[in-house]
Amino acid sequence: MSAAASLLQWNYFPVGIFHDDAIYWLVSRALLGGSYVLPSDPSGVPLVNYLPGYPLFLSLFSWTGDPLFGRLASWFCTAGSVGLAWVLIKRHFGAAAGLWVLAWAVLQPIPLRYGTTLMSEPFYIFLSLMVFWIYEQVRESPAMRKDWLLAFLAGFSCWVRPMGVLLAAALIADALLRRRFRRGALVFAAVLIFQGGLSLWTFSRSQEASSFLGQWRFALQHAPASALAGTAWDNLAYYGDVLAYLVLFPFGKWSSVLQRIPMMETVLKAGILGAALWGWVVTWKSPRRAWSLYFLFYLMLIVFWLRPDHRYIAPLAPFAVLFFCSAFFLESRPVSFGRWGKGFVLAAVVLCSAVNFRGMAASFNGDGPRLPEEVYRWVRAHTAPEAVIAGNMASTLFLYTHRRGIDFSRTYDPEEFLRDLVEKGVSYVLVSDVVPAPPSRLPDVNDWSPFASLMVTHPGWFRTVKRFPDDQMTLHSVTVDPRRFREAHTFYQEGARAEAKGEIGQAETLLKAALALEPGLVGAYDRLAHLAASAGDFDEAEKRLTRALAAWPSFPLAYEHRALVRARLGDSRASGDSAEAERLARRYQFKRQNARK
């Protein structure tokens, strides 16, 4: 039943829709050639932000060149996870009753929908269940070779997903609590070998211990602590809804009916989550304490992670169902659910199936997520094979067009943004026409497309090539002269350094030289205006900022600074400039507090 449901949703997520799946596939292909470099990246720098465990596994299938075989590998991992879940669950409730619980667990919409993708979740779920199955064997009949195998798989899981460290931590903590020090030491040593070697390899290439720590550092630099705390609270509520609506008892599709009954939805959700919590406590007191520890560690990580995503909960779905059932049924003997118990489990299975069949229908009707196929066809037909395109999901673009690409640089400085494009030989910039919703609390470290949408409005640097209304995207060409811009940017940087040293005359000379080479260098106008304002010449500062806006009418920082200058001059137009700066900053999510002052 689970296998059939996975296959029927085969086309719901096309390859590349997550971007990570395209990266995994391309890296696995690169591994066959002895490198760890994305073929889509023109820089040729080894990839450090993606763990090598899953690409190594995927390379066993990617030699065919067809992602179909990689998806089949994910499907077999999903089928293997079902078998392991059956072995683990039937010990709790007996073979007959356990079959119902297994059907409930494996028919969850989230694991099934991702069960045939090229994402690492199917392989990681299979690996984690394999680790717990071996742990059951070790607990019942200790043997040195089983301890070694357990330690190896726990260490290798750190190469597949960052959550593998939490899996190993749960095993180590449980071993220490049970005074199985040799087992805990072996797992700890395996984690040190795998994770330590990975960290050294990563640091030697990127000078950063972890890209995940880098994302946390970015969030801490761009958001107050209250925003981080608020995000954690929002995530907790979000994952509580996901567990209640899509995992334990999937009434989310019918919540509008429940909302008509006062407090019914709230009471039902509280009862479901409360039962799962009590089941977690029951499991903690059982020989399977490691399961409770792993669930707790994993849930804490995704709650405090920067961005919620319901697929993150997929590895916890079998455990959540097990905890929920443990709150109602005994494990000391094979269980007969009774009339009400069977009815409840049957209702859960039917609802899970209904949710999945809705997904199947969407898959058949083409209503699921889709790729910008019109863009890919046009790019293949009308751009040179050596063209480099900047935009989100650059690896997916390469997968379908064989055009190399880069992701947008993480900077709010227009000059640095363009310099990155010029240095990497970018020919085109692909941006979305959809107005992005502002982030609720934290900036999205992975999405710089709003600022890119602002950048391409610069008339001297970019030109619109083609609009794709069906895909809601626009392709722009980079029109700036690379040689002149490099020379101008060198003068601009030297002028900025001279300004920082207090060498005002030298700074003005260098910034004016930069503008002589590249009149669209609005940052130079902005800095010259700052020098004039610092000298008390606000009239000259206003003129320079007006020239900046003539070169780029959508530059929010120039509007903000001109509003300050006009306010000092008593000009009533200052409020209009301030309002326009605020409008542009909101429209393009321009972080004025992090840009140049």
Side-chain angles (χ1 to χ4, degrees):
M1 190 184 298
S2 173
S6 291
L7 288 175
L8 288 173
Q9 297 193 75
W10 183 273
N11 292 323
Y12 189 82
F13 289 128
V15 176
I17 195 66
F18 302 105
H19 192 222
D20 284 358
D21 50 350
I23 290 176
Y24 283 131
W25 179 255
L26 293 175
V27 172
S28 70
R29 296 276 296 165
L31 281 172
L32 296 174
S35 71
Y36 204 65
V37 176
L38 270 175
S40 58
D41 186 358
S43 67
V45 177
L47 191 68
V48 296
N49 291 342
Y50 289 82
L51 301 178
Y54 181 59
L56 280 171
F57 167 75
L58 200 57
S59 64
L60 300 175
F61 308 90
S62 62
W63 60 270
T64 62
D66 190 344
L68 167 68
F69 291 92
R71 299 187 73 175
L72 283 174
S74 293
W75 181 82
F76 280 113
C77 286
T78 301
S81 298
V82 171
L84 288 171
W86 160 244
V87 172
L88 293 170
I89 290 177
K90 76 174 182 178
R91 297 188 178 192
H92 291 254
F93 306 112
L99 183 61
W100 286 99
V101 177
L102 177 66
W104 186 353
V106 301
L107 280 174
Q108 302 305 321
I110 296 174
L112 281 187
R113 195 160 289 177
Y114 292 91
T116 56
T117 66
L118 288 177
M119 300 294 282
S120 60
E121 276 79 8
F123 181 54
Y124 175 73
I125 293 173
F126 172 74
L127 187 63
S128 61
L129 290 174
M130 175 67 75
V131 167
F132 280 113
W133 178 73
I134 295 174
Y135 193 71
E136 291 277 319
Q137 306 301 311
V138 170
R139 186 176 54 80
E140 294 178 358
S141 57
M144 188 65 177
R145 65 179 182 278
K146 294 180 182 178
D147 284 339
W148 280 100
L149 180 59
L150 178 71
F152 172 79
L153 291 178
F156 181 72
S157 67
C158 301
W159 275 21
V160 179
R161 296 284 293 169
M163 292 76 170
V165 177
L166 306 180
L167 177 63
L171 298 177
I172 294 170
D174 188 64
L176 295 178
L177 290 172
R178 299 184 187 281
R179 299 182 181 275
R180 304 297 183 184
F181 300 114
R182 184 190 68 183
R183 187 179 306 151
L186 284 174
V187 175
F188 182 72
V191 172
L192 283 182
I193 293 172
F194 278 92
Q195 190 65 27
L198 181 65
S199 297
L200 289 175
W201 182 83
T202 301
F203 187 77
S204 66
R205 285 158 174 77
S206 68
Q207 302 304 309
E208 288 187 10
S210 169
S211 63
F212 300 97
L213 293 179
Q215 292 186 30
W216 264 106
R217 183 171 60 250
F218 176 86
L220 291 173
Q221 290 174 348
H222 294 78
S226 60
L228 295 173
T231 298
W233 177 258
D234 292 344
N235 289 351
L236 183 62
Y238 173 81
Y239 288 119
D241 288 342
V242 172
L243 282 172
Y245 292 164
L246 289 176
V247 176
L248 297 177
F249 196 72
F251 61 89
K253 297 293 183 181
W254 297 271
S255 59
S256 58
V257 177
L258 296 173
Q259 288 171 359
R260 299 173 187 173
I261 307 173
M263 298 297 294
M264 176 57 71
E265 184 181 11
T266 302
V267 170
L268 185 58
K269 183 169 68 173
I272 289 173
L273 295 179
L277 178 60
W278 175 246
W280 181 88
V281 174
V282 171
T283 306
W284 173 274
K285 297 179 180 179
S286 74
R288 286 160 291 278
R289 182 189 291 132
W291 298 19
S292 295
L293 285 168
Y294 174 59
F295 190 92
L296 176 64
F297 294 163
Y298 191 108
L299 190 61
M300 288 178 61
L301 175 68
I302 60 178
V303 164
F304 286 98
W305 192 235
L306 304 180
R307 293 180 298 117
D309 192 326
H310 58 262
R311 69 183 173 89
Y312 294 160
I313 210 76
L316 299 184
F319 301 101
V321 171
L322 184 64
F323 295 153
F324 185 75
C325 293
S326 298
F328 296 101
F329 310 118
L330 298 175
E331 303 177 25
S332 57
R333 58 183 173 83
V335 177
S336 174
F337 278 138
R339 182 181 303 173
W340 290 102
K342 289 179 180 178
F344 186 83
V345 174
L346 179 61
V349 171
V350 170
L351 288 177
C352 285
S353 301
V355 172
N356 279 302
F357 278 112
R358 287 173 64 94
M360 295 171 201
S363 178
F364 288 132
N365 295 332
D367 296 333
R370 56 182 296 271
L371 292 168
E373 297 177 359
E374 181 188 1
V375 174
Y376 296 159
R377 286 194 298 268
W378 193 92
V379 167
R380 282 197 305 268
H382 296 90
T383 62
E386 65 274 10
V388 179
I389 302 175
N392 286 337
M393 302 177 69
S395 294
T396 301
L397 179 72
F398 178 84
L399 190 65
Y400 288 95
T401 66
H402 296 287
R403 303 298 189 269
R404 293 179 301 165
I406 65 168
D407 293 322
F408 295 125
S409 57
R410 298 176 177 179
T411 176
Y412 290 108
D413 191 324
E415 289 74 29
E416 290 302 313
F417 188 95
L418 182 60
R419 184 191 65 82
D420 187 60
L421 300 184
V422 169
E423 292 301 323
K424 294 179 179 177
V426 172
S427 313
Y428 300 94
V429 176
L430 183 65
V431 297
S432 172
D433 296 333
V434 179
V435 177
S440 57
R441 295 183 187 272
L442 297 178
D444 188 349
V445 68
N446 295 313
D447 186 10
W448 289 80
S449 55
F451 184 62
S453 298
L454 170 63
M455 282 295 304
V456 295
T457 63
H458 194 303
W461 292 349
F462 301 94
R463 179 179 61 84
T464 300
V465 175
K466 175 73 174 176
R467 297 188 185 277
F468 304 93
D470 290 342
D471 294 330
Q472 296 181 301
M473 304 187 81
T474 302
L475 187 70
H476 305 266
S477 63
V478 181
T479 57
V480 69
D481 182 270
R483 183 187 61 80
R484 290 178 55 188
F485 178 79
R486 289 191 186 98
E487 294 180 12
H489 192 262
T490 299
F491 283 124
Y492 173 77
Q493 287 182 312
E494 292 176 355
R497 286 193 288 268
E499 180 188 3
K501 294 178 182 178
E503 300 172 355
I504 306 303
Q506 181 70 5
E508 286 202 15
T509 300
L510 291 168
L511 291 172
K512 289 177 179 178
L515 286 171
L517 286 169
E518 178 51 59
L521 208 63
V522 291
Y525 283 119
D526 190 67
R527 289 188 179 277
L528 286 170
H530 178 263
L531 293 177
S534 299
D537 191 350
F538 293 102
D539 289 321
E540 181 61 25
E542 182 188 17
K543 292 178 183 178
R544 290 174 176 179
L545 289 168
T546 301
R547 290 176 194 150
L549 290 171
W552 187 13
S554 300
F555 187 31
L557 206 60
Y559 279 108
E560 182 177 3
H561 290 171
R562 193 171 69 174
L564 296 174
V565 169
R566 284 178 169 176
R568 292 293 300 268
L569 293 172
D571 193 326
S572 60
R573 293 175 293 175
S575 59
D577 282 344
S578 182
E580 182 64 11
E582 181 66 23
R583 185 190 69 81
L584 289 170
R586 287 182 177 275
R587 167 66 178 81
Y588 297 106
Q589 297 182 20
F590 182 73
K591 308 300 177 183
R592 292 178 291 167
Q593 67 272 23
N594 300 314
R596 181 180 61 253
K597 297 294 184 183

